[in-house]
Amino acid sequence: MALETQGQSSLPWLLIGSVAIGILGDYLFYGKAFGISYPLFVIGLYALFFWQAKQRIHLTFSRDQFFAWSLTLPIFLLALTFFLYDNALFQLLNFVIVPFLLVAQTMILTKRHQQSWFSLGFLGEMIETVLLYTIKYTSIPFLLLREWIKNRVDRTKYGVAMKVLTGIGISLPILLVVLSLLSQADGVFGHFLAEIPRMLFDWNSAEALFRLFLIGLVALVTFGYMYSILGPRQQGVAVLVPAQPEENKIAWDGIILVTILTIINVVYIAFTVIQISYLFGGAQAILPEDMTYAEYAKKGFNELVTVTIINFILLVSFMYLASRAQKLIYRIVQIMLSLLTVCTSFMLISAYFRLSLYEEAYGYTHTRFLAHAFMIFLFVLFVIAFLKIWRNGFSLMKYYGVAGIVAYVVLNYINVDALIAKNNIQRYHDTGRIDMEYLAELSYDAIPVIMTLKNDKAVARTLQYNLQEKAEDLQGERSWQSFNVARYVAKRYME
């Protein structure tokens, strides 16, 4: 009755739609590998959201909602990677990131937030919505079921039934403990007890029950979340980070910051000059004794990246802490921060160049490729920070968020495994050295590139041996829900 007084007459339709999502998930995913099923499931979620949103609220295409609507593109692009590519790492990450972006988008579109999407407070509101309100509202279907039963069953019989169910619920834990003890005390009784499940139902029945449980779980979570963003909500205690007024922000004296930055920059300028001399000036002849150029390239790479990350933290912190009370001192701080950005960029270029030299000597791997990508991303972050130094109204976290989403989508679509295989094969043609076992460990995305070696007599036999397991796996029957372009193309190349 309480639900009806809130005017929630469309709740049954939301429940029906949520159950449909649960059934769709079971049909697309249960016992099947990911493939075209993932983007189809995302489309199903969008259909339910827009159907219910049309019934309850008015979605707008206003300027302040531009970011929310634009999230549709990365969401669909990342969902499509399950259909286009076969990289296990990105599939694992996208399995989490796509729902994360969906939650962010739907919360912004329904205006279920108080903080800006690029603030830490918005993350707190997302956590509150998913972990507090979604779980809280999963009880509504049971309340609906209880009211439906109460309205159709005699009150006396309803009271008796509830008491019986309560008794069963209390007795079950006790019964489980007692049966466990009795089965251990008497082997014959234990054997008879173990045979009861087989007599009552077979394993197919158990699997059907398990699938029904999963459908119900997905339906409940979907219902709870949709209701939390589309239904009425009592104001809770949000996990928010309130914005500090400008006058209450912590500010360091400009002279202190200038002193710190001057000392750091002097060291970095000297280091940058040496990097230019050794790495870009061809000064191999004056390397330390007993050190090859490849060893020099490898040595210090991790340290350089670590220093770069430290500098990034210092840069963002000093931009926040710098006092603007004295304009001249603040201008000097801006210059020093700009110099720190430039020197750190040279460190990134040095680390990038070192890693490239090391790859030429020892080959290309996932770790080294992702390290390259991370350094390029860091460089972009420093460019954005440089703009922030000279433009106080520039929102750093907003553009960092956009840059992060764009960079991750691009990383998904450059086909990492194919590039690794291509570079290793090019290195093989230049040096005659190649790790065939590592090539075989790459995903099906790399098969078209790897198969260019099938006519090379020096490695053809090894290639066939190492790819045998992949070839057998591709011959296994797969449902249409698991269809994947990368596996299909790989199968055609290996036939």
Side-chain angles (χ1 to χ4, degrees), residues 221-243:
V221 172
T222 303
F223 177 92
Y225 178 72
M226 291 295 176
Y227 188 83
S228 69
I229 60 173
L230 296 171
R233 178 199 293 181
Q234 296 178 351
Q235 188 62 38
V237 182
V239 188
L240 304 178
V241 180

Side-chain angles (χ1 to χ4, degrees), residues 298-485:
K298 177 187 177 183
K299 188 175 178 60
F301 165 76
N302 293 330
E303 288 77 4
L304 275 177
V305 175
T306 303
V307 171
T308 300
I309 295 174
I310 292 173
N311 289 350
F312 178 75
I313 296 173
L314 291 176
L315 179 64
V316 175
S317 301
F318 287 174
M319 280 193 293
Y320 177 80
L321 294 172
S323 173
R324 292 164 175 78
Q326 298 174 291
K327 292 186 178 179
L328 178 61
I329 297 297
Y330 180 66
R331 182 67 68 188
I332 297 174
V333 170
Q334 287 178 303
I335 295 172
M336 288 295 176
L337 287 174
S338 300
L339 187 58
L340 176 65
T341 303
V342 172
C343 290
T344 307
S345 298
F346 270 103
M347 290 184 186
L348 272 176
I349 295 172
S350 173
Y352 189 96
F353 192 66
R354 286 170 183 259
L355 185 57
S356 298
L357 291 173
Y358 187 71
E359 284 176 324
E360 290 177 5
Y362 298 102
Y364 301 82
T365 65
H366 278 119
T367 304
R368 295 163 194 167
F369 186 94
L370 293 176
H372 274 304
F374 177 67
M375 286 186 284
I376 294 173
F377 180 61
L378 269 180
F379 182 80
V380 173
L381 296 187
F382 273 104
V383 171
I384 296 174
F386 186 85
L387 296 176
K388 170 64 177 176
I389 292 171
W390 297 99
R391 294 181 61 185
N392 291 330
F394 193 81
S395 176
L396 192 65
M397 298 309 298
K398 178 179 180 180
Y399 288 97
Y400 275 0
V402 173
I405 294 173
V406 172
Y408 182 73
V409 172
V410 170
L411 191 61
N412 271 263
Y413 274 83
I414 59 177
N415 203 341
V416 172
D417 284 22
L419 282 175
I420 291 173
K422 181 179 179 180
N423 289 333
N424 277 311
I425 291 173
Q426 182 59 49
R427 174 175 171 269
Y428 165 68
H429 292 318
D430 295 337
T431 65
R433 298 192 301 271
I434 190 169
D435 186 348
M436 295 302 299
E437 290 186 6
Y438 184 79
L439 283 185
E441 293 175 2
L442 297 175
S443 69
Y444 293 113
D445 299 329
I447 292 298
V449 179
I450 296 173
M451 291 302 291
T452 59
L453 294 173
K454 65 181 181 180
N455 295 324
D456 190 322
K457 295 182 179 180
V459 296
R461 185 179 296 275
T462 305
L463 174 69
Q464 182 179 3
Y465 175 78
N466 288 326
L467 293 181
Q468 186 64 35
E469 185 176 344
K470 284 185 178 294
E472 293 174 357
D473 180 63
L474 287 173
Q475 298 305 317
E477 293 186 6
R478 293 181 182 270
S479 61
W480 70 265
Q481 294 97 324
S482 301
F483 181 79
N484 175 275
V485 172

Side-chain angles (χ1 to χ4, degrees), residues 21 24-25 28-29 34-50 71-83 94-103 105-106 222 226:
I21 290 295
L24 179 65
L28 292 176
F29 298 130
F34 286 125
I36 195 174
S37 54
Y38 198 91
L40 289 178
F41 186 73
V42 170
I43 291 173
L45 288 175
Y46 268 118
L48 177 63
F49 170 73
F50 286 116
L71 279 177
T72 306
L73 181 61
I75 288 172
F76 268 114
L77 287 176
L78 293 178
L80 278 174
T81 59
F82 290 89
F83 169 63
N94 293 342
F95 186 77
V96 177
I97 292 175
V98 170
F100 177 86
L101 293 178
L102 267 172
V103 170
Q105 181 188 39
T106 51
T222 303
M226 291 295 176

Side-chain angles (χ1 to χ4, degrees), residues 184-236:
Q184 294 178 23
D186 190 300
V188 176
F189 179 78
H191 176 74
F192 176 75
L193 195 65
E195 290 295 323
I196 292 178
R198 299 178 186 176
M199 295 167 59
L200 295 177
F201 54 89
D202 57 15
W203 285 109
N204 291 330
S205 301
E207 183 183 12
L209 291 175
F210 179 68
R211 294 179 68 171
L212 285 174
F213 168 76
L214 291 180
I215 291 173
L217 182 63
V218 173
L220 281 175
V221 172
T222 303
F223 177 92
Y225 178 72
M226 291 295 176
Y227 188 83
S228 69
I229 60 173
L230 296 171
R233 178 199 293 181
Q234 296 178 351
Q235 188 62 38

Side-chain angles (χ1 to χ4, degrees), residues 9 13 17 26 84 112 119 128 172 191 263-265 269 287 322 332-333 361-362 377 386 388 407 426 454 460 482:
S9 58
W13 289 110
D26 176 78
L84 298 174
R112 289 291 190 177
S119 68
E128 181 190 44
L172 277 177
H191 176 74
I263 295 172
I264 294 174
N265 282 333
I269 289 171
L287 283 175
I332 297 174
V333 170
Y362 298 102
F377 180 61
F386 186 85
K388 170 64 177 176
Q426 182 59 49
K454 65 181 181 180
S482 301

Side-chain angles (χ1 to χ4, degrees), residues 128-129 131-137 224 228 233-236:
E128 181 190 44
T129 299
L131 297 184
L132 175 62
Y133 289 111
T134 298
I135 296 175
K136 174 183 176 182
Y137 294 138
S228 69
R233 178 199 293 181
Q234 296 178 351
Q235 188 62 38

